[in-house]
Amino acid sequence: MGEIITSFSKAKPYFLMIFLQFGSAGMYIISMVTLNHGMNRYVLVVYRNAIAALVLAPFALVLERKTRPKMTFPIFLQIMVLGFLEPILDQGFTYLGMKFTSASFTSTIMNAVPSVTFVIAVIFRLEQVKIKEVRSQAKVIGTLVTLSGALIMTLYKGPVIDLIWSRKTSHHGSSGDSSEKHWISGTLLILVGCVAWSCFYVLQSITIKKYPAEISLSSLICLAGAIQSLAIALAVEHHPSGWAVGWNSRLFAPLYSGIVSSGITYYVQGLVMKTRGPVFVTAFNPLCMVIVTALGSAILGEQIHIGSIIGGIVIAIGLYSVVWGKSKDLTPESTPAKVDHIVQELPISDKNCTDGTKLVIAKS
């Protein structure tokens, strides 16, 4: 019995991360179905973040009632900016780009977020690059490889891969004439979402040091995003029918994304990171891409192009190169032998997946 419990404890992080990737993949599929049924993307953003704020708020009130610091005006401004970067820019542009391309294509491109985050961190001097060190070379090369994969997916589609179930579901396909005409613009919109998400991570890593209550901060960011996206949604969606929800995907999508993508994802990532670290969490991100590709083809009838397969593999290789470089930053050999060193936490994750995955960057 003891050996069984020990084996289960060792396998638990793997099962949790696989479960998390399936949950994240479901968000892409459900969101795509809802958008295809005519729901305004900003209305979806409003509902999603409002539900996420409601889900996280009780935990924040109970678990962080003694540790939550006082709110100051500078922190309030940072939270409003965070609410604009992730819920509005990231989710808004990503949803629009996904309508022009596909759910599988979007999930693949989102694997470029760690590399984009690395570039932004270097620009703002949150990340030090010592080109003579192997780990820095791995991060730089991985970033270039990832961006090359995104470029391949944008410029080269190639022939369609005909799967067994593709013929049966082709009449439900989301890759119609609109997607064909706006493939490049859709990719650019998704990349804008990647940049916004990366900027969100960089600013979040700064804000969390001044407001070290992670659940409260996440709930406030979702609330800020819901309020700001509400203003935009009211301006672009005037008809009450656009806000109506029923017992269909228009209700299920915001519930699922708010509860699973924010509530459960936040908890599971934090739980696994405590025992296995952020690199372990990030290493499972390409699995979401594979799941979304399979489900998108089977359920949505999305066409899988050879260019997307090649680009996805290249992006995954670049991702693991960046992750490997970051893992070397976490080893004792790479940590400065100072007691008073400053540790800057930089989150890193895919669209699924969201709030709690962090890269730890040591600043000398």
Side-chain angles (χ1 to χ4, degrees), residues 94-114:
T94 300
Y95 283 149
L96 181 58
M98 186 162 61
K99 286 192 66 176
F100 287 161
T101 54
S102 66
S104 57
F105 186 91
T106 304
S107 66
T108 303
I109 292 291
M110 278 299 167
N111 280 292
V113 169

Side-chain angles (χ1 to χ4, degrees), residues 325-351:
K326 291 308 304 177
S327 68
K328 296 304 177 182
D329 286 347
L330 300 176
T331 58
E333 294 81 8
S334 63
T335 304
K338 295 181 181 180
V339 177
D340 58 343
H341 70 281
I342 301 175
V343 175
Q344 179 73 45
E345 292 185 340
L346 181 61
I348 178 173
S349 176
D350 68 290
K351 186 73 182 170

Side-chain angles (χ1 to χ4, degrees), residues 33-53:
V33 171
T34 305
L35 294 172
N36 286 340
H37 287 175
M39 189 173 193
N40 184 282
R41 64 184 185 279
Y42 283 112
V43 174
L44 177 58
V45 171
V46 172
Y47 288 149
R48 169 180 173 171
N49 286 277
I51 292 172

Side-chain angles (χ1 to χ4, degrees), residues 13 51 64 77 123 136 150 170 202 205 218 269 278 293 296-297 303 326 335 360:
I51 292 172
E64 297 178 343
L77 290 179
I123 294 174
S136 293
S170 59
V202 172
S205 68
S218 297
Q269 285 184 339
T293 300
S297 176
Q303 294 179 332
K326 291 308 304 177
T335 304
V360 179

Side-chain angles (χ1 to χ4, degrees), residues 21 54 99 157 221 305 315:
Q21 298 308 315
L54 291 174
K99 286 192 66 176
K157 295 181 67 174
I221 291 172
H305 296 267
I315 288 176

